[in-house]
Amino acid sequence: MADQCMQGWILATLSVLFATCFLLIKKKERGTKKGLLESRSKSVNCTANTNEECRSGKFSDADVIIVGAGVAGAALAHTLGKMATGNIPQSLKKSCHAVIKIEDGRRVRVIERDLTEPDRIVGELLQPGGYLNLIELGLEDCVEKIDAQKVFGYALFKDGKHTRLSYPLEKFHSDVAGRSFHNGRFIQRMREKAVSLPNVQLEQGTVTSLLEEKGTVRGVQYKTKDGQELTAFAPLTIVCDGCFSNLRRSLCNPKVDVPSCFVGMVLKNCQLPCANHGHVILGDPSPILMYPISSTEIRCLVDVPGQKVPSISNGEMAKYLKTVVAPQIPPEVHDAFLAAVDEGNIRTMPNRSMPADPYPTPGALLMGDAFNMRHPLTGGGMTVALSDIVVLRDLLRPLCDLNDAPTLCRYLESFYTLRKPVASTINTLAGLNPRPLSLVAHFFAVAVYGVGRLLLPFPSPKRIWIGARLISGASGIIFPIMRSEGIRQMFFPCNRPCIL
């Protein structure tokens, strides 16, 4: 009887919380809609226009222009370049109507600022859901021949104790796991895979502006490495130029937050305490992250709060790492950590987060870090980008002609909704369970269960007060996520029609 009462209480509490949250968020959305449209109008006016007549149809340089050839851009180029069009995926057949006509892949033109192998300290850990997306896109061989390491979960360290949290991989093939690697090697493999397709063109250049005509993006203006100013035209331009994007302001409302910085090093010839696991040390004043990037190297990322870090040049950084961080490092890698500090190859990078807040723009789309960033500590950025590519591929497949700008715009607006399930759950579910309702239900079930245990057998004013604070704290974590992602987009993404 007590268990039944507890279950009923949990269900009733969840129902009230959902209803309250929904009403509050809908009210806020109505109040901010007008301001959002005005902001978008101002941003679009800043986009460059061209006096030359915009080309379309057979006069376009390509079907799709992709700005940037990082993880998102390179994977997208390969996907669109080999995609057969006209056949409707099963998931869209009930709501979509198109002529069944199989064609070769799209003509894709990719413009990348620097085609040399990138050397970054982030973008090195791919969640299991991301690996499943690689398989879906036919890119799983891009983690081969780069000494990538399998990752089966995380190990959490606190005050000398640790525990393992494994990914729920029991229902998957034995090869399905996370992967960690050198970011540059992974990107070069995907670029090679993309340009192996005859209809994908990859060139080096810096895109300076989008070309717009009557509110529709028609192409880009860019500068070659020789300094020559050129233009390129296509019915669809996809901006994937990374976290430092100079084009996003005309396509979204960027609210970039920089809560901390990563200090990165490579530890050599040592073994982590828990093999094939990412290691999160819950240190003071902030976490420390370690994971293998090859069979002989371990990436160490020290989170430093704020936007200002100790100076590397005058030795303040080395002192900070040795006196504050080193005592909290597990003994198995302590000596390697000190050796890396002494070696001096220390790099820093700001940790950026930015919620997705797009301006639906005919002829253009944002993807990757240019569109949506999450704290690198979650290791979810690449997985979300690859999932977005799967969604976009399935949306565009029925469209044989991308020159129908109004129809294309409706498809692209659907993309922003259909991507929400994975984007809103990646921080906690590793891309393996893209169901926001599961996340929220589990989140509140744990909180309410904890309150129930607190109140039994005899509730007291103090226990009730603590329970109320617990529910309030849980709500303060999950409701802002739901509000930023959108209630309808998170929980009812398929209710939005994708096609006329």
Side-chain angles (χ1 to χ4, degrees):
M1 180 65 69
D3 291 340
Q4 292 177 351
C5 291
M6 178 66 71
Q7 292 173 3
W9 187 37
I10 290 175
L11 291 175
T13 303
L14 289 176
S15 300
V16 173
L17 288 171
F18 276 124
T20 303
C21 180
F22 181 78
L23 292 174
L24 290 175
I25 292 175
K26 290 298 290 182
K27 182 178 179 180
K28 182 176 180 180
E29 286 178 350
R30 288 194 298 268
T32 57
K33 185 176 181 181
K34 181 178 179 181
L36 181 63
L37 292 175
E38 292 175 352
S39 182
R40 181 201 179 280
S41 177
K42 294 178 181 179
S43 181
V44 168
N45 288 338
C46 296
T47 305
N49 290 284
T50 177
N51 294 326
E52 181 183 355
E53 182 180 355
C54 289
R55 289 170 275 182
S56 62
K58 65 181 181 180
F59 299 107
S60 297
D61 298 309
D63 297 314
V64 181
I65 292 174
I66 298 175
V67 181
V71 172
L76 183 61
H78 177 267
T79 299
L80 298 182
K82 74 180 182 67
M83 181 182 72
T85 61
N87 55 327
I88 304 177
Q90 187 68 32
S91 61
L92 298 180
K93 282 186 177 180
K94 293 183 180 180
S95 58
C96 302
H97 306 280
V99 177
I100 306 300
K101 178 181 178 184
I102 305 300
E103 296 182 354
D104 293 334
R106 312 277 187 188
R107 294 176 300 149
V108 181
R109 185 171 183 177
V110 188
I111 305 174
E112 162 60 35
R113 182 182 59 83
D114 186 358
L115 289 176
T116 60
E117 181 176 310
D119 182 16
R120 304 180 66 204
I121 64 173
V122 293
E124 300 171 321
L125 182 59
L126 183 68
Q127 301 287 358
Y131 182 74
L132 289 173
N133 289 324
L134 285 181
I135 296 174
E136 172 78 10
L137 298 172
L139 292 169
E140 67 272 19
D141 57 342
C142 291
V143 296
E144 299 174 359
K145 300 180 181 179
I146 61 173
D147 201 14
Q149 304 296 299
K150 288 186 177 182
V151 178
F152 297 112
Y154 285 91
L156 301 182
F157 287 73
K158 175 69 174 176
D159 298 329
K161 301 178 181 179
H162 74 275
T163 186
R164 298 192 191 197
L165 300 175
S166 298
Y167 296 130
L169 302 174
E170 297 80 7
K171 298 180 180 180
F172 297 95
H173 186 273
S174 59
D175 193 50
V176 176
R179 293 293 193 281
S180 53
F181 38 68
H182 281 270
N183 172 268
R185 297 176 187 175
F186 180 55
I187 288 177
Q188 291 299 89
R189 285 280 288 165
M190 288 201 293
R191 289 175 178 175
E192 293 167 3
K193 186 105 175 185
V195 298
S196 67
L197 300 174
N199 49 325
V200 174
Q201 176 187 353
L202 177 61
E203 60 182 297
Q204 184 165 313
T206 302
V207 175
T208 55
S209 62
L210 302 176
L211 301 178
E212 185 176 332
E213 181 186 68
K214 298 179 180 179
T216 298
V217 173
R218 301 295 186 183
V220 299
Q221 181 172 340
Y222 69 101
K223 184 180 295 186
T224 67
K225 61 180 180 180
D226 298 326
Q228 186 179 5
E229 292 276 358
L230 298 176
T231 56
F233 297 90
L236 176 59
T237 299
I238 304 178
V239 176
C240 311
D241 56 346
C243 61
F244 300 106
S245 172
N246 65 329
L247 303 175
R248 65 160 67 102
R249 288 190 175 277
S250 59
L251 301 175
C252 76
N253 180 27
K255 298 177 182 177
V256 180
D257 181 35
V258 184
S260 63
C261 296
F262 262 157
V263 178
M265 301 178 295
V266 174
L267 314 187
K268 299 178 181 178
N269 301 313
C270 60
Q271 296 294 324
L272 288 168
C274 302
N276 298 108
H277 281 68
H279 289 56
V280 180
I281 303 165
L282 303 176
D284 182 18
S286 53
I288 303 159
L289 179 62
M290 294 184 180
Y291 50 85
I293 55 175
S294 73
S295 56
T296 60
E297 298 168 299
I298 293 170
R299 171 67 70 194
C300 176
L301 296 172
V302 178
D303 189 70
V304 178
Q307 300 182 21
K308 185 177 180 181
V309 299
S311 172
I312 296 176
S313 59
N314 65 10
E316 288 182 3
M317 178 64 75
K319 181 180 179 181
Y320 175 83
L321 294 173
K322 287 184 176 181
T323 59
V324 177
V325 180
Q328 305 178 72
I329 298 295
E332 293 87 344
V333 293
H334 184 268
D335 291 344
F337 178 86
L338 293 178
V341 174
D342 291 335
E343 186 178 324
N345 189 16
I346 303 171
R347 302 172 59 188
T348 64
M349 180 176 180
N351 289 324
R352 298 167 178 262
S353 62
M354 184 185 77
D357 190 7
Y359 303 135
T361 305
L365 187 72
L366 275 171
M367 292 192 76
D369 282 349
F371 172 45
N372 180 208
M373 291 183 285
R374 61 210 68 242
H375 197 292
L377 191 63
T378 67
M382 290 190 294
T383 297
V384 170
L386 294 171
S387 174
D388 286 351
I389 292 170
V390 172
V391 172
L392 184 63
R393 178 201 62 182
D394 291 344
L395 271 177
L396 294 183
R397 182 172 283 153
L399 275 177
C400 295
D401 182 13
L402 298 181
N403 290 285
D404 184 354
T407 301
L408 176 61
C409 187
R410 284 189 287 271
Y411 275 76
L412 299 184
E413 286 186 35
S414 294
F415 163 77
Y416 290 129
T417 298
L418 294 173
R419 68 179 294 273
K420 287 294 185 179
V422 171
S424 60
T425 60
I426 183 63
N427 288 357
T428 53
L429 301 178
L432 294 172
N433 181 10
R435 297 179 180 86
L437 187 58
S438 296
L439 171 63
V440 177
H442 280 83
F443 190 90
F444 277 115
V446 171
V448 174
Y449 177 78
V451 173
R453 297 280 294 180
L454 179 67
L455 297 180
L456 293 176
F458 301 109
S460 65
K462 181 178 180 181
R463 289 180 175 181
I464 293 175
W465 172 245
I466 295 174
R469 291 180 59 189
L470 179 60
I471 292 294
S472 175
S475 301
I477 294 173
I478 199 68
F479 282 170
I481 296 175
M482 295 165 62
R483 183 168 58 250
S484 64
E485 297 290 349
I487 292 291
R488 178 181 54 78
Q489 293 90 335
M490 278 183 65
F491 297 106
F492 311 105
C494 294
N495 287 352
R496 185 181 183 93
C498 67
I499 308 174
L500 283 176

